Amino acid sequence: MDSIIALTNWVTEQTVLYTVIKIAAIIVPLMLGVAYLTYAERKVIGYIQVRIGPNRVGPFGLLQPIADGLKLALKEVIFPAKSNLYLFLVAPVLAIGPALAAWAVMPFDATLTLANIDAGLLYILAITSMGVYGIVIAGWASNSRYAFLGALRSAAQVVSYEIAMGFALVGVLIAAGSLNLGEIITAQQGGFWNWYWLPLFPLFVVYFISGVAETNRAPFDVSEGESEIVAGFHVEYSGMAFAVFFLAEYADMILISMLASVLFMGGWLSPFQGIAGLEALFSWVPGIIWLLMKTCIFLFLYLWLRATFPRYRYDQIMRLGWKVFIPVTLVWLVVVATAQVFDIGPWFTEAVL
Amino acid sequence: MEQVIFYCFAALLLFASSMVITVRNPVRAALFLILAFFTSAGIWLLLDAEFLAMTLVLVYVGAVMVLFLFVVMMLDIDLAPLQEGFTQYLPLGIFVAALITIEMIAVLGASHFGLDIVAAPIAHPEGYSNTKEIGLLLYTIYVYPFEIASVILTVAIIAAITLTLREKKSKSQDIDKQIKVQAKDRVRIVKMEAVKKQESES
């Protein structure tokens, strides 16, 4: 026992080592989450389409993502002869770097954060806005027409939807009076009806749909639209280089889902807060469980959307982003600011500054 | 420790910015410019200016440079004619460069920005929020310049949009009409009586 305490003491003293351990404690479950998100995706879409989905590898096909990962890791990485080799290799790294770095400020619980920084929301916006470079550079460096078209589509789409997404986040930070993610959650204290999804409902919808567009998922997946441009920006990638793009895309999906639950659904707060009997009954559940459950709801929405809607036409994507979402967010920002000034409802009574 | 980080970032920034103007491929130059923005954001973070640093990354790296890269990638720039006459214009180039350097030294040198005139930034106490400070300044002391700048930007946006609003003669689509379309507008079902073939025709 003494040796364990001594060991933990020694570990906490080594701040660099301790931080590395904490980073690993985020990334390893995240990667596992990504693996089983692909499994969940195939199962959910399978059942929606009255199929069974993967069921051969392991019980209920549970080992399928492991087998897929192994297969990708063992495959040969092919370098197109006329590609820009250096940028071709840097592109997947640029895709996954921001997707992982954004997790640094995520509040998993009241005290469980890697870096509790003041401008957490700004940090996430800034870091996620860099994810598009992986796609753009991959498309250009491949020296292939299909990949290039995918990259161009993705660049224009991501930049357009980032504006609507940014405005939706501005609404949240006006309501919470803080850029710190932990403080945004505590500002939503008081149960289901006090979360921001209700007063900021239009922003909530815009945020999630923009999130789907930002991650290039169906029905906004024109950057890899199979029917037109084969597989878009990653046509030329194979093996592990392709797998890294895949990891980045799914890590981004989980990130957007968790952010939606942090910003609009009360993060790690219990949904039974303020309900006399149920609050005590469920008080033993740790906050991270609530957060993960909320995240799973949004992830299911992602899969549901993919199984339900056909792909958008490109000009309609642009129209939705610029002519529908941005005006909606601008109008609702005025509403939120007015409500904040006049302290309306339980949501806007928090003292600012 | 902070000094080591500063010098690392500064060296990287100088390297990146010199690569922007020396590298031949325009896409690579744009990528080095992105690296330069990113490292200067890092240096601003060391100054506790987190709002400025994040906004630099968000606006310039996340949006402006994406569009820049978009354009540069689409242009198939032929480098040979651009490099013609390099030696011919070299003296003029050197003269202009030297002039700019002298000007910069005169304006930004130690006589105007030395430590005796502008004090070194002090370490801020814990709980200092750069975002809040900037917000307070912008909306109190500098509120009129801020408002004027925003009006000018709005005018610029409207101007840019009107420039693109030409009369459309090509096959442009009215999406509102497309969405309103219903099956009965497109498909006409015609009921016809079955007719027996006339034998007499043959």
Side-chain angles (χ1 to χ4, degrees):
Chain A
M1 197 61 204
D2 273 355
S3 61
I4 293 171
I5 293 169
L7 186 71
T8 45
N9 278 343
W10 180 81
V11 166
T12 41
E13 277 162 21
Q14 317 289 313
T15 34
V16 175
L17 187 70
Y18 189 48
T19 314
V20 170
I21 291 173
K22 283 200 277 191
I23 291 172
I26 293 175
I27 289 186
V28 171
L30 178 64
M31 288 293 118
L32 270 177
V34 166
Y36 279 92
L37 180 56
T38 63
Y39 171 77
E41 176 169 29
R42 295 168 67 180
K43 274 285 186 195
V44 167
I45 293 180
Y47 281 119
I48 288 177
Q49 296 167 348
V50 206
R51 296 183 284 115
I52 304 175
N55 67 338
R56 292 285 137 178
V57 193
F60 307 108
L62 272 172
L63 296 178
Q64 185 70 45
I66 313 282
D68 286 344
L70 259 179
K71 188 192 88 177
L72 281 172
L74 295 175
K75 286 245 171 174
E76 184 191 358
V77 180
I78 298 165
F79 302 109
K82 289 200 172 172
S83 68
N84 192 324
L85 191 61
Y86 178 69
L87 288 179
F88 187 79
L89 281 175
V90 165
V93 181
L94 280 178
I96 194 144
L100 296 182
W103 287 86
V105 293
M106 188 61 76
F108 296 101
D109 207 337
T111 50
L112 209 61
T113 320
L114 177 61
N116 188 11
I117 64 171
D118 234 5
L121 200 57
L122 256 184
Y123 170 82
I124 286 200
L125 255 182
I127 290 293
T128 48
S129 71
M130 288 180 53
V132 65
Y133 282 111
I135 294 174
V136 173
I137 292 172
W140 185 77
S142 300
N143 200 6
S144 146
R145 290 289 173 270
Y146 290 133
F148 188 54
L149 279 173
L152 291 183
R153 285 176 171 198
S154 173
Q157 178 187 329
V158 168
V159 169
S160 312
Y161 277 86
E162 213 152 64
I163 301 169
M165 200 172 184
F167 274 132
L169 296 185
V170 169
V172 174
L173 69 92
I174 289 178
S178 171
L179 280 169
N180 183 304
L181 290 173
E183 283 173 29
I184 288 173
I185 293 177
T186 42
Q188 302 177 50
Q189 204 99 32
F192 187 66
W193 301 106
N194 284 29
W195 296 347
Y196 285 149
W197 68 270
L198 184 60
L200 307 181
F201 191 73
L203 299 184
F204 171 50
V205 174
V206 167
Y207 175 81
F208 189 69
I209 298 177
S210 308
V212 177
E214 286 274 291
T215 43
N216 289 319
R217 295 288 301 177
F220 299 95
D221 58 345
V222 287
S223 71
E224 47 184 289
E226 301 90 346
S227 49
E228 305 129 35
I229 48 173
V230 193
F233 65 95
H234 57 56
V235 181
E236 306 291 340
Y237 282 86
S238 59
M240 211 51 210
F242 167 75
V244 169
F245 276 117
F246 216 72
L247 283 178
E249 184 178 325
Y250 280 77
D252 268 336
M253 277 167 70
I254 303 180
L255 181 78
I256 293 285
S257 305
M258 198 172 270
L259 271 180
S261 38
V262 162
L263 299 173
F264 296 98
M265 298 298 265
W268 35 260
L269 294 172
S270 156
F272 300 117
Q273 225 174 12
I275 304 171
L278 289 171
E279 188 181 2
L281 197 64
F282 285 99
S283 60
W284 55 271
V285 180
I288 188 167
I289 301 287
W290 292 124
L291 180 61
L292 290 179
M293 279 164 67
K294 290 167 189 172
T295 309
C296 287
I297 293 174
F298 286 110
L299 284 174
F300 180 76
L301 260 178
Y302 257 106
L303 309 182
W304 194 5
L305 286 178
R306 185 180 159 187
T308 311
F309 292 116
R311 188 175 296 127
Y312 252 111
R313 209 173 67 197
Y314 196 73
D315 59 327
Q316 289 179 340
I317 290 185
M318 284 303 172
R319 176 180 171 274
L320 183 73
W322 287 98
K323 293 191 178 170
V324 180
F325 280 179
I326 294 177
V328 165
T329 49
L330 283 176
V331 168
W332 207 255
L333 273 188
V334 176
V335 174
V336 171
T338 317
Q340 181 67 272
V341 169
F342 293 106
D343 286 345
I344 291 169
W347 314 289
F348 301 110
T349 42
E350 244 70 41
V352 188
L353 290 183
Chain B
M1 187 67 186
E2 204 173 299
Q3 271 188 346
V4 176
I5 297 173
F6 173 77
Y7 282 115
C8 286
F9 272 119
L12 201 59
L13 178 56
L14 286 179
F15 166 74
S17 30
S18 51
M19 288 305 266
V20 173
I21 49 169
T22 51
V23 91
R24 273 161 188 257
N25 187 329
V27 172
R28 287 201 170 184
L31 290 175
F32 273 114
L33 189 56
I34 293 165
L35 180 63
F37 281 139
F38 201 70
T39 31
S40 28
I43 290 175
W44 280 359
L45 268 186
L46 290 180
L47 253 180
D48 288 343
E50 81 264 2
F51 182 77
L52 290 179
M54 306 276 183
T55 322
L56 180 70
V57 174
L58 179 64
V59 175
Y60 279 89
V61 179
V64 174
M65 286 312 291
V66 175
L67 295 179
F68 215 84
L69 212 57
F70 189 95
V71 175
V72 167
M73 280 177 174
M74 294 226 276
L75 300 173
D76 196 15
I77 300 174
D78 191 9
L79 287 171
L82 284 179
Q83 283 160 351
E84 267 172 24
F86 179 74
T87 44
Q88 188 190 341
Y89 295 120
L90 192 61
L92 185 67
I94 290 176
F95 173 69
V96 172
L99 203 66
I100 290 175
T101 316
I102 292 167
E103 280 176 2
M104 297 260 276
I105 291 171
V107 175
L108 302 171
S111 55
H112 292 286
F113 285 93
L115 275 179
D116 48 335
I117 295 159
V118 181
I122 39 158
H124 295 289
E126 200 154 313
Y128 166 83
S129 169
N130 170 256
T131 318
K132 233 168 233 178
E133 295 289 317
I134 287 180
L136 275 179
L137 280 181
L138 270 187
Y139 288 102
T140 54
I141 300 174
Y142 298 108
V143 65
Y144 291 122
F146 182 68
E147 298 282 333
I148 290 169
S150 61
V151 169
I152 292 173
L153 279 176
T154 317
V155 171
I157 290 174
I158 295 168
I161 291 173
T162 41
L163 276 180
T164 60
L165 275 185
R166 296 200 199 103
E167 227 174 272
K168 285 177 184 167
K169 281 171 195 156
S170 60
K171 47 166 189 177
S172 65
Q173 287 156 333
D174 189 346
I175 296 181
D176 292 323
K177 273 186 193 163
Q178 292 184 329
I179 290 173
K180 276 183 202 135
V181 136
Q182 279 170 342
K184 67 172 173 23
D185 305 332
R186 290 287 164 89
V187 184
R188 194 163 55 98
I189 296 170
V190 184
K191 284 239 158 75
M192 288 176 83
E193 292 292 322
V195 184
K196 222 177 187 182
K197 244 184 183 177
Q198 300 279 315
E199 293 289 323
S200 59
E201 269 182 27
S202 62

